[in-house]
Amino acid sequence: KEISGSNPNLKPETGKTFNIGFIFEPVNAVAVGIDFWRIQKQDEINTLTVESAIEQGNFATVNGEGVVFVNNANVAATENQGVDLDFRVRVGDTPFGRLTIRNAATYYDKISSQFEPGDPFERYEGTFLNPRWRNNFSANLERGPWSSTFTIRTTAHMWDTQLAQGSFSRDERKVGTFEEVDVNVQYTGIKNLQLSGTVRNL
């Protein structure tokens, strides 16, 4: 029998972040940004496996029944790295108002996890909830007290599995690249009041 729960001896999770970025403005109305980043986290809180709990002596006999305590512990670690790209163009005045266009993308070069000390780091980029890249394209139009933003959010394809790369068959279901469209409208024509409305995944 497994029993899990809290652990009064838990320590805070720790982490390190490294990044270097550049912003280029070839002309006043155009800006291009690129940011390389890496995030390392240690002592992440995770539930012990039954095997690890037994190795650590976290078991007992209660009312004649064997019990293994798989409580939360500071055992996991992650290493993620990638690059962010940001492109903005201030088109300026148009017959419909002041137009600004932006495209922001993130590419994940590595998404890896270590579930217990001594275990190898497993790679998960391209698997469920860990797409290789995400992209946000938006167009903002301002005219007087009105402002509207049209956004297209695109997510790369991924394999419908939570297993690490190399641990699953390519027969797994593939979730294709998909887009979601959002529309936001704001009105500031009333003193000390801002009204806004958003339709997500239009």
Side-chain angles (χ1 to χ4, degrees):
K1 180 179 179 180
E2 298 178 31
I3 295 181
S4 62
S6 60
N7 182 351
N9 297 318
L10 286 177
K11 299 180 296 182
E13 297 179 342
T14 60
K16 295 180 180 179
T17 301
F18 307 88
N19 72 283
I20 181 171
F22 306 91
I23 297 178
F24 306 95
E25 293 189 9
V27 294
N28 288 336
V30 177
V32 180
I34 182 170
D35 186 38
F36 300 92
W37 53 267
R38 182 175 184 179
I39 301 173
Q40 297 174 305
K41 295 178 69 177
Q42 298 85 33
D43 293 327
E44 285 197 288
I45 299 172
N46 196 21
T47 302
L48 292 173
T49 63
V50 173
E51 294 79 7
S52 178
I54 292 175
E55 289 176 1
Q56 298 180 33
N58 296 338
F59 60 90
T61 301
V62 180
N63 297 326
E65 182 179 20
V67 176
V68 180
F69 300 96
V70 289
N71 295 30
N72 292 331
N74 297 99
V75 292
T78 58
E79 290 185 3
N80 300 334
Q81 65 185 36
V83 58
D84 294 333
L85 300 173
D86 193 351
F87 177 73
R88 303 188 191 199
V89 178
R90 294 181 293 276
V91 178
D93 291 330
T94 71
F96 305 100
R98 294 187 303 276
L99 177 63
T100 300
I101 295 174
R102 179 183 182 187
N103 194 81
T106 297
Y107 177 80
Y108 300 90
D109 178 60
K110 181 200 295 188
I111 301 175
S112 62
S113 295
Q114 179 191 53
F115 293 98
E116 292 191 17
D119 288 350
F121 276 85
E122 302 282 0
R123 302 284 292 268
Y124 290 89
E125 59 269 17
T127 61
F128 184 64
L129 296 182
N130 296 300
R132 270 289 191 177
W133 55 265
R134 299 177 186 270
N135 190 84
N136 281 6
F137 170 85
S138 64
N140 175 260
L141 195 63
E142 296 181 346
R143 184 171 185 174
W146 291 95
S147 173
S148 58
T149 303
F150 175 83
T151 304
I152 301 176
R153 294 179 286 122
T154 306
T155 302
H157 74 266
M158 64 191 85
W159 296 97
D160 189 17
T161 178
Q162 293 183 320
L163 298 176
Q165 290 185 7
S167 300
F168 65 91
S169 167
R170 291 298 172 177
D171 293 332
E172 295 278 351
R173 186 170 71 95
K174 182 179 180 180
V175 180
T177 300
F178 63 93
E179 295 80 28
E180 298 170 281
V181 178
D182 302 338
V183 177
N184 172 266
V185 177
Q186 291 187 352
Y187 178 73
T188 57
I190 303 174
K191 185 177 181 181
N192 298 325
L193 180 65
Q194 176 178 294
L195 302 176
S196 65
T198 301
V199 178
R200 294 182 60 84
N201 197 17
L202 179 66

